[in-house]
Amino acid sequence: MEKLALQGLTGEELARALGVSVEDGRRIVAQVHRDEDPSTPNAGVRRAAREAALARGYVPALEVITERRSQIDPFVKYALRLADGHVVETVRIPLEREGRFSVCVSSQVGCALGCTFCATGRLGLQRNLETWEIVEQVRVVRRGIARDRLAARVHGVVFQGMGEPMANLDRVLGAIRVMSESSALAIDARNITVCTSGLPAGIRRLAREAPKVRLGLSIASARRERRRSLMPIARTHDLDEVIDAAAEHVAATGLAPMWAVTLLSGVNDTIDDADALADLVVAFRARTGATPRLSVIPYNTIAEDDDPFVRAPSEREDAFRDALAARSVFTHKRYSGGSDVAAACGQLAARS
Ligand code: SF4
């Protein structure tokens, strides 16, 4: 019988799998997430439940290959080896409020969607990550924080590493359940964001099954033709279809989405682009009553030799933001740091 990866299950799921009480399931899960040996007899777990967990379960690990610390900001990028030799990347991101970190997790090895400005897209899809492999990325970061003796904790999680989370949604939802369960990682679901390139069915399912979780959407360009050229998935699901799903997400959850635009010099950084984006934001606000939290992200190079894009010069970025502000659309200058260790947005592409 296949062994159960204990850190990938909630207390209830574990109880069901082992045929033990939910109470015991939760206690075992709490032990696992405190990194205690599950054979420890003093956690109040009934003996039969403990024996079942030991017989059927294990706590597999991801091998930390590298832990690269940025010299220019407090980001840390981890390269983690999976049991089959594939490598994924995870990033520890310091939040503005001191003592809080967010973890940018990967949900797939590579990605099938091939967004032209993304390093992961160049790898193609190798495989989906298992639930425990997603959860374990947060545990690796948590251990790093403890080892660094930081008076800090993991405050949130953003699914914006390698992969399209909506294309591996069963496992992503499973990981969210574990992350947000109080006996497991105890991260407030409202501090979890799932970012997508725009898969409408996934957005709707996320709203139904994880209604406290925020939606992130990669817009790239509000000009439909330009978006199709940057993001092949937009040829299957056009922006209007994606916006419909995002509007339903607001109606179901009451949460304003996060929208992201990576600015590419001469590609999507013109005043016309800013105007089209302003139109989209204004229409969305009028339709849903929610104002998207708009992040304009400077492009970080994805290939030293044959990079198809160049970062928009700062004066164009400023003009872009000003054109939006003139329409009362305000942007967050998301600090996409860690670029010296390739930890910035769109740069995650560990090779096996
Ligand atoms: S941006 Fe996201 S969806 Fe697009 S290729 Fe990269 S990982 Fe895949």
Side-chain angles (χ1 to χ4, degrees):
M1 197 182 295
E2 210 186 318
K3 286 254 186 184
L4 301 166
L6 295 178
Q7 74 268 54
L9 296 166
T10 64
E12 262 185 53
E13 289 163 351
L14 182 62
R16 250 195 327 272
L18 296 181
V20 303
S21 72
V22 172
E23 218 175 35
D24 279 339
R26 291 208 179 109
R27 286 189 182 132
I28 293 167
V29 163
Q31 266 188 300
V32 166
H33 287 278
R34 285 196 301 264
D35 285 332
E36 286 175 13
D37 182 348
S39 61
T40 313
N42 60 4
V45 181
R46 270 174 279 257
R47 189 170 157 194
R50 197 168 60 241
E51 283 174 1
L54 285 172
R56 295 271 325 277
Y58 73 136
V59 184
L62 301 177
E63 183 196 344
V64 179
I65 312 172
T66 56
E67 186 177 330
R68 297 182 64 199
R69 289 160 188 275
S70 169
Q71 299 300 307
I72 50 178
D73 46 42
F75 280 65
V76 181
K77 183 171 84 161
Y78 295 86
L80 305 171
R81 189 171 354 250
L82 312 175
D84 60 8
H86 284 304
V87 177
V88 292
E89 297 182 331
T90 303
V91 185
R92 179 176 100 186
I93 305 170
L95 298 177
E96 266 170 54
R97 193 152 152 205
E98 214 175 315
R100 292 182 173 188
F101 287 96
S102 189
V103 185
C104 176
V105 294
S106 296
S107 55
Q108 297 181 308
V109 184
C111 180
L113 298 191
C115 303
T116 52
F117 48 84
C118 169
T120 308
R122 296 185 150 209
L123 302 177
L125 177 64
Q126 312 291 318
R127 75 164 169 90
N128 285 326
L129 292 189
E130 297 296 334
T131 299
W132 76 264
E133 291 171 326
I134 302 172
V135 171
E136 191 60 25
Q137 294 173 57
V138 179
R139 285 162 48 86
V140 165
V141 171
R142 206 180 58 166
R143 270 180 232 126
I145 292 171
R147 211 192 36 238
D148 290 350
R149 297 177 187 279
L150 298 172
R153 66 191 173 86
V154 173
H155 176 76
V157 172
V158 52
F159 286 80
Q160 202 171 28
M162 298 168 72
E164 163 56 65
M166 301 299 186
N168 185 21
L169 198 48
D170 284 342
R171 274 81 165 237
V172 165
L173 287 167
I176 289 170
R177 285 194 293 273
V178 176
M179 288 170 187
S180 55
E181 178 162 291
S182 55
S183 53
L185 289 176
I187 295 166
D188 190 332
R190 290 169 299 187
N191 300 327
I192 299 175
T193 303
V194 175
C195 299
T196 178
S197 57
L199 298 181
I203 294 172
R204 293 191 174 95
R205 186 168 166 212
L206 183 74
R208 279 195 310 275
E209 297 189 29
K212 290 187 182 156
V213 166
R214 202 171 284 278
L215 174 70
L217 198 55
S218 177
I219 300 288
S221 175
R223 293 159 77 189
R224 279 36 175 192
E225 192 48 48
R226 185 50 47 91
R227 187 168 192 270
R228 279 192 284 275
S229 72
L230 293 171
M231 304 176 75
I233 188 66
R235 293 175 208 146
T236 309
H237 300 291
D238 69 23
L239 188 56
D240 296 311
E241 197 189 329
V242 177
I243 292 294
D244 284 348
E248 285 174 38
H249 186 275
V250 175
T253 66
L255 296 171
M258 186 191 98
W259 287 5
V261 174
T262 302
L263 272 198
L264 309 166
S265 181
V267 176
N268 63 356
D269 64 342
T270 65
I271 299 303
D272 282 351
D273 286 293
D275 278 338
L277 186 57
D279 289 343
L280 196 69
V281 171
V282 168
F284 192 81
R285 192 159 51 200
R287 175 177 177 182
T288 63
T291 302
R293 187 185 159 89
L294 186 60
S295 292
V296 173
I297 306 167
Y299 177 68
N300 290 297
T301 187
I302 56 172
E304 291 299 321
D305 34 6
D306 64 338
D307 199 316
F309 302 114
V310 177
R311 176 186 286 213
S314 58
E315 58 277 11
R316 283 186 81 121
E317 186 184 322
D318 291 344
F320 189 89
R321 290 178 194 278
D322 291 347
L324 288 166
R327 302 272 310 274
S328 300
V329 173
F330 300 100
T331 55
H332 294 266
K333 187 159 187 158
R334 195 166 68 186
Y335 181 50
S336 180
S339 55
D340 58 330
V341 293
C345 295
Q347 286 193 322
L348 300 189
R351 288 178 192 279
S352 300

